[in-house]
């Protein structure tokens, strides 16, 4: 009974935090800052996939990706594809990645972010409109810096809400 | 399998098969966009609410003066329009005058840093449709690229994937103004080095593409560098302040041109700015 309630709580927490991530993603920042806005949705997704792989898996990643596509006016499937691929890799290396020190973890997460970024880039340029600006890759760097923050605060919340 | 599904979706959307699915999804995420937009709007409206009485009074006075001037000009415009229709009747050409407009609010969200796309709060329910022109108070803003029942995405004229057919107001020279990706710059790459264009020229829509109605201001030329190359390098600044947009106008072109023999004035002036008939009219444009 308590376990079921705990898992429900986790699901709610995940949903709310991902919603928050989506809001951060489209925050109306001034143009100079907007190019640095990291892919919050993916950061949150990775964090969830690392800590509760039983609840947040490929299906969640796919659906969240689809919502992100609609949210940011991409061709449907771009982020769905990227997030699913990244979370798949994430699940494969999850047992090790979870217990890495934070710096090492950040670097690997940056790698995952660039995989997603590359997949979006690739599907985007297949469509026609081109992204040629080098600043397109900047969010990977800011994502690297944001990862400890995301991971620690989400961990704190998860502990508060009784997940392991 | 999920990757496969994503790929299928990508292809389906490119072929234009996923439209209903897309608009459903967009409607679902619209509250998120609203939620992000609301605080920013609240701040600006709070600033308005707490502005001083004197400030409001001054602004009111200024607006009243402006309205007086505009009304006087409009008075003249009505007679000029009639005259224009009459003269065009003599020349045996037909001409479209009058568009229908509707105000839409811009949501303050930043969808994707490298694209200049706005989200507005009027969608298919209000008769908005894809490739519908969108104007600001002073000039052309862009066109709608996607609609959902409750919202629409507007591609700005300065997006690097957007081109708008324009002509120089001074001499009727026609060309295309393409976006540069910067909010304050348009480029005119298809002009020869000897083209008659100079800084300060007003560019208006030429109506060539069939999307934008002719004669609306788009940009003013700021820089012409023609030396030593077969093509002139012309830069223009959009007339509408694209970085400060809070409201935009969705525009429905009149589907049927004004007849050569003008009807009584009431009919000719009818659909200048009205919202009720817009839904019916948009139907025409969609079937066209």
């Amino acid at each position: 009974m308590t376990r079921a309630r705990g898992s429900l709580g986790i699901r709610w927490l995940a949903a709310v935090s991902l919603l928050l991530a989506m809001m951060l993603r489209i925050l109306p920042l001034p143009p100079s800052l907007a190019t640095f806005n990291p892919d919050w949705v993916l950061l949150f997704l990775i964090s969830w996939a690392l800590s509760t792989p039983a609840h947040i898996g490929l299906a969640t990643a796919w659906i969240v990706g689809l919502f992100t596509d609609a949210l940011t006016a991409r061709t449907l499937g771009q982020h769905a594809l990227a997030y699913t691929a990244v979370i798949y890799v994430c699940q494969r290396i999850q047992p090790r990645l979870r217990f890495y020190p934070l710096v090492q973890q950040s670097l690997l997460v940056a790698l995952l972010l660039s995989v997603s970024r590359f997949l979006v880039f690739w599907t985007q340029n297949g469509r026609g409109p081109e992204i040629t600006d080098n600043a397109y890759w900047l969010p990977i760097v800011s994502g690297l810096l944001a990862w400890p923050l995301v991971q620690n605060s989400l961990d704190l919340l998860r502990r508060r809400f009784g997940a392991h | 399998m999920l990757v496969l599904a994503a790929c299928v979706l990508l292809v389906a959307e490119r072929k234009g098969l996923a439209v209903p699915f897309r608009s459903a999804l967009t409607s679902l995420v619209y509250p998120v966009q609203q939620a992000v937009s609301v605080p920013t709007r609240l701040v600006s409206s709070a600033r308005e609410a707490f502005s001083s009485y004197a400030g409001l009074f001054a602004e009111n006075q200024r607006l009243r003066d402006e309205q007086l001037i505009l009304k006087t000009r409009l008075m003249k415009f009505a007679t000029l329009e009639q005259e224009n229709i009459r003269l065009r009747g003599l020349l045996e050409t037909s001409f479209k005058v009058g568009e229908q407009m509707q105000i839409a609010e811009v949501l303050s969200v930043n969808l994707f840093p490298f694209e200049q796309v706005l989200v507005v709060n009027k969608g298919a329910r209000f008769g908005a449709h894809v490739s519908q022109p969108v104007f600001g108070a002073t000039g052309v803003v862009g066109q709608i690229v996607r609609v959902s029942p409750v919202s629409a995405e507007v591609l700005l004229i300065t997006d690097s994937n957007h081109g708008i057919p324009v002509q120089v107001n001074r001499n009727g020279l026609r060309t295309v103004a393409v976006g540069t990706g910067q909010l304050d710059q348009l480029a005119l790459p298809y002009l020869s080095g000897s083209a008659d264009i100079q800084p300060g020229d007003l560019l208006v829509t030429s109506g060539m593409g069939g999307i934008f109605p002719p004669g609306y201001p788009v940009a003013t030329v700021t820089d012409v560098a023609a030396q030593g190359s077969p093509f002139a390098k012309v830069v223009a600044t959009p007339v509408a302040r694209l970085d400060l947009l809070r409201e935009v106008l969705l525009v429905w072109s009149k589907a049927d041109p004004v007849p050569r023999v003008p009807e009584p004035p009431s009919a000719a002036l009818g659909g200048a700015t009205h919202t009720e008939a817009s839904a019916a009219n948009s139907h025409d444009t969609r079937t066209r």
Side-chain angles (χ1 to χ4, degrees):
Chain A
M1 184 67 199
T2 43
R3 232 188 96 201
R5 190 134 47 101
S7 104
L8 197 68
I10 284 297
R11 268 159 215 269
W12 268 109
L13 190 63
V16 170
S17 67
L18 285 170
L19 207 63
L20 181 78
M22 285 187 186
M23 289 167 81
L24 284 172
R25 175 73 192 256
I26 56 164
L27 211 60
L29 298 166
S32 51
L33 278 179
T35 48
F36 279 97
N37 201 10
D39 191 346
W40 295 105
V41 183
L42 186 56
L43 282 176
F44 278 52
L45 258 183
I46 292 175
S47 171
W48 279 107
L50 285 188
S51 61
T52 55
H55 299 307
I56 308 296
L58 294 177
T60 321
W62 195 78
I63 290 166
V64 168
L66 211 57
F67 276 117
T68 312
D69 283 327
L71 192 71
T72 57
R74 301 298 87 202
T75 311
L76 286 185
Q78 281 190 287
H79 283 99
L81 176 70
Y83 288 1
T84 316
V86 165
I87 296 303
Y88 175 72
V89 176
C90 211
Q91 283 184 340
R92 294 301 294 269
I93 59 174
Q94 187 258 352
R96 270 171 295 157
L97 186 54
R98 244 200 111 178
F99 299 105
Y100 275 168
L102 208 54
V103 177
Q104 211 171 340
Q105 218 177 41
S106 301
L107 286 172
L108 263 171
V109 165
L111 197 68
L112 292 176
L113 283 180
S114 42
V115 166
S116 144
R117 209 84 187 137
F118 179 77
L119 280 173
V120 173
F121 176 80
W122 179 61
T123 44
Q124 179 84 14
N125 281 13
R127 193 179 66 155
E130 274 160 45
I131 306 162
T132 46
D133 205 332
N134 281 336
Y136 176 75
W137 306 100
L138 278 177
I140 297 171
V141 180
S142 53
L144 171 89
L145 298 176
W147 169 254
L149 187 75
V150 170
Q151 177 69 342
N152 282 336
S153 46
L154 279 180
D155 258 347
L156 208 70
L157 278 175
R158 279 189 284 258
R159 229 165 284 142
R160 281 283 297 272
F161 282 78
H164 334 276
Chain B
M1 194 195 75
L2 286 167
V3 169
L4 203 71
C7 292
V8 166
L9 256 181
L10 275 172
V11 174
E13 169 117 75
R14 205 172 304 167
K15 297 230 188 302
L17 299 173
V19 175
F21 184 49
R22 157 137 233 145
S23 65
L25 261 181
T26 313
S27 310
L28 270 177
V29 295
Y30 180 66
V32 180
Q33 295 174 338
Q34 272 288 16
V36 172
S37 169
V38 159
T40 331
R41 289 195 72 87
L42 269 185
V43 168
S44 62
S45 60
R47 204 178 292 152
E48 255 165 41
F50 293 116
S51 60
S52 69
Y53 172 76
L56 278 180
F57 186 77
E59 195 187 356
N60 199 331
Q61 190 67 40
R62 190 177 55 76
L63 289 175
R64 207 174 302 189
D65 290 352
E66 203 177 291
Q67 201 209 12
L68 190 69
I69 293 168
L70 288 177
K71 259 196 175 158
T72 321
R73 242 187 241 167
L74 202 63
M75 224 153 59
K76 206 167 165 192
F77 176 74
T79 49
L80 280 177
E81 189 181 75
Q82 281 307 304
E83 187 179 307
N84 191 315
I85 292 170
R86 222 167 28 243
L87 289 174
R88 279 180 188 271
L90 289 177
L91 288 171
E92 310 218 327
T93 57
S94 60
F95 182 57
K96 288 184 192 176
V97 260
E99 280 84 28
Q100 296 179 334
M101 303 192 179
Q102 183 165 42
I103 293 181
E105 267 178 30
V106 176
L107 297 192
S108 45
V109 292
N110 187 350
L111 291 191
F112 205 73
F114 300 94
E115 287 182 0
Q116 287 162 2
V117 177
L118 295 177
V119 183
V120 297
N121 71 344
K122 295 267 157 58
R125 273 201 316 177
F126 288 88
H129 58 90
V130 172
S131 80
Q132 180 176 18
V134 176
F135 293 171
T138 48
V140 176
V141 166
Q143 59 176 301
I144 292 181
V145 286
R146 244 180 227 140
V147 287
S148 80
V150 287
S151 67
E153 288 156 20
V154 178
L155 189 68
L156 298 185
I157 51 172
T158 51
D159 188 281
S160 45
N161 295 309
H162 193 273
I164 176 171
V166 294
Q167 62 183 16
V168 178
N169 198 28
R170 182 165 53 84
N171 55 14
L173 176 69
R174 276 196 295 269
T175 183
V176 176
V178 299
T180 57
Q182 281 158 291
L183 272 177
D184 56 349
Q185 251 184 38
L186 286 172
L188 280 69
Y190 309 117
L191 282 174
S192 69
S194 58
D196 178 16
I197 190 163
Q198 59 202 41
D201 277 346
L202 180 69
L203 302 172
V204 298
T205 49
S206 65
M208 291 295 276
I211 290 176
F212 294 96
Y216 284 89
V218 177
T220 45
V221 176
T222 49
D223 191 30
V224 180
Q227 282 75 30
S229 100
F231 288 101
K233 204 166 177 283
V234 183
V235 176
T237 308
V239 177
R241 291 295 308 275
L242 298 177
D243 46 345
L244 298 176
L245 289 171
R246 283 178 62 192
E247 274 100 20
V248 292
L249 294 163
L250 309 185
V251 178
W252 284 267
S253 305
K254 267 195 164 176
D256 43 322
V258 169
R260 276 194 278 119
V261 183
E263 286 159 56
S266 61
L269 284 172
T273 47
H274 231 265
T275 39
E276 273 83 31
S278 57
N281 195 20
S282 77
H283 208 74
D284 291 342
T285 2
R286 227 176 300 142
T287 49
R288 215 158 23 123

